[in-house]
Amino acid sequence: MTKTSYRGLVLAALAAAALFRFPSLGLRPMHHDEANQAVKFGALLERGEYAYDKSDHHGPSLYYATLASAYARGRATLADLDEATLRLVPAVFGLGLVALCLSFGTSLHPGAAALAALLAAFSPAMTYYSRFYIHEALFAFFALALLVGLWRYTERLSSLAAMAAGLSAGLLFATKETSVIIIPAAVVSIFLAGRLRGKTAFGPAVRLKISGEHVFLALLAFLAAAAVLYSSLGRNLDGPVDAVTAFKDYFAKGAAPSLHAHPLGYYLGILVFSKSGGLVWSEGAVFVLTLVGLAAIIARRSESIAGRRLGLYVAVYAGLTTGTFFLLPYKTPWNVLAFYTGWLLLAGIGGAFLIRAARKPALKAAVLVLLAAGLAHLGLQNYRANIRYPADPRNPYVYAQTSPDFLKLVRRVEDLAAVHPAKKSLLIKVVAGPYEQWPLPWSLRGYQNVGYWKNPADAGTLRDAALVIASDENASLLLPALGDSHQVEYYGLREGTLLALFIPDALWNRFLLSR
Amino acid sequence: MNKHALTIISLFSFVAAAAVFASGSPQDPSKEELKLQLPKPMFIGTPRNIKTPNLEVVTGKPRGPFFVPMGTIILSAKKAVTSSDMQPVIGELSFLTDGEKSGEDGYFVELGPGGQWVQIDLGASSTLHAVLVWHYHGQARVYRDVAVQVSDDKDFLKGVTTIFNNDHDNTLGLGLGRDKEYIETNEGRLIDPKGAKGRYIRLWSGGNTSNDMNHYVEVEVYGTPPK
């Protein structure tokens, strides 16, 4: 492969990654989880308040990283924020992940690295969760950074490389508790790969020798990164302790989840093939190339593409992470990112192997056409998943997603506030359980008087409220008392979940006159 | 230095510096924090979609008995159906009067987005005593701008009686509706026509809380045929 064609592919990968990740970031309604993170970040932005909450939130890295985005876009309060400012953070890390695919140095054939980067850029799953304000894009980025860091350490055996790997692990740990799967998988993989002897296509395979000093420095970097972030920059010393004790809860949740328990093949369904309501989805191109890459490594036919040690390292890592996430009963679709990076690297190796194996020009051309078709297929689905059907329940990456209908509720509240004497200070009472409250706290962030109660009995009189928003269960309790004096409208919150908006007749009539 | 190491260290330093800067930001001295007494929202983890095939009645109680004059029969069975959308994407218009009321796939017709109507020709002008409508009851859903009209004019230009209208903001332009919105259930929605007379019955809707499309599983019209 010539330098020019390599540079062209790299440029194409980065451009495609940016093109898929950055436009129309506000298109999809905020998910329950995104709104949760946004409101938590709002406290950090407005008041500098952040404390790790092991019960309902993952690690601190997302919130601190978002400060950069908020400052860059001149946002100082929660009310100032918008979806694009928040989602810019995972989008940048998603782009960074594509770049990291190119960081394995000379041990990985440039064609394999470029193809892995292209597949990561085009992947609908990678893109979808890079446009989603949760921890996953950062987690996948730091996991790949750790994978690259450990690999580069084995090449150089330097203090700096050891610290870089430690720092990546620390930031990974400060992002999400499932780092407890990724870090051991990466370490076991590098040790297994390091035990290889003999000559490889990329030179002699030096047996991995690690000095105690390097281990110490790596641990120091790990602890420093984790401690600084979990302690809220030194202001919450309970944070690092909570970060460790949290594992007790997370192990229980992972092994015996009350929600989100899915069968063994759940992730395969999302990534390889799914069909719903006339729409068919597949990242089969990645899956087939992953299997080719894996087979080539096992058959020791890939050594001109990736050194034997690197091939083994990536294959073991992909196997360990995939196996663990498949076996855990607790499954959410965004967890695919944690192991899919390994698949993408293997797929890059697989694709480069096929090009190399096709010796006749016609065959090589056919392989290149097939690879281009695979990328085009991924690109088409990427558009469908992220632009055409970003909140459609038929989209396999959609999970408990807020319905676009919810935005009509937000618009109705805006219109009603505009004709209310108190404007945005009108009193809004939300009477709904916590699963039905979100993303209202995000969507109503510009209103000064909004209260949240689980039950109508706790909310006191509801007649003093300018607006009442209730879960459908609570709405049926409120209807006898408010039904005659209020206009009642229903809005979809999620698939099968409704919210009712109670509008006093006087306000409703004022609204009608304003139209 | 290792490029990767440099990247990671730079990133971490940038984030840490931004965080320190944020925590030290001075507040505007002319302003004070508004102390709200209202309860804050509760943080909680990812919800799960509710899967409620053939949703039961929301109130938990079955609908009470509904009394009609002696001799009332179903008038709509197998009758011809027309619509503002004569080429439905899913299902067929004949599903409305075929007697099948299942909430599963394959039993409903899907009409296009926005305000759409379906119309049943009862064959003769009749006195109506009950109309039962099932839009879609596979999940909790509310159909918007539901209006039901009766007329002897197939174009509904004259002699139109509106027997139900919850288009409370007059989206359809049929006039402000005073009836309430309701959640679809497997019991269907019972509408009392109060003896309205007509040969044609036209049912409107304007999307629903899950999407902008319009659906019907079944419509049953009960009344007394002309003697």
Side-chain angles (χ1 to χ4, degrees), chain B residues 8-44:
Chain B
I8 297 296
I9 290 167
S10 305
L11 176 73
F12 180 67
S13 308
F14 178 68
V15 170
V20 170
F21 180 71
S23 61
S25 299
Q27 288 184 338
D28 184 341
S30 67
K31 292 181 179 174
E32 62 178 7
E33 186 186 348
L34 180 64
K35 302 285 184 191
L36 292 177
Q37 300 301 314
L38 299 169
K40 302 285 189 220
M42 297 171 66
F43 285 116
I44 197 157

Side-chain angles (χ1 to χ4, degrees), chain A residues 42 72 112 115 129 147 154 167 195 213 219 279 289 294 314 322 327 334 341 344 359 439 441 445 474 478 498 507:
Chain A
L115 185 56
Y129 299 116
L147 204 65
T154 65
L167 188 61
R195 292 186 67 80
E213 182 193 349
L219 277 174
L279 297 176
L289 289 175
L294 193 60
V314 173
T322 303
L327 286 172
W334 40 79
T341 317
L344 291 165
R359 294 182 191 279
R445 65 194 181 282
N474 283 337
L478 296 176
L498 301 171
L507 180 59

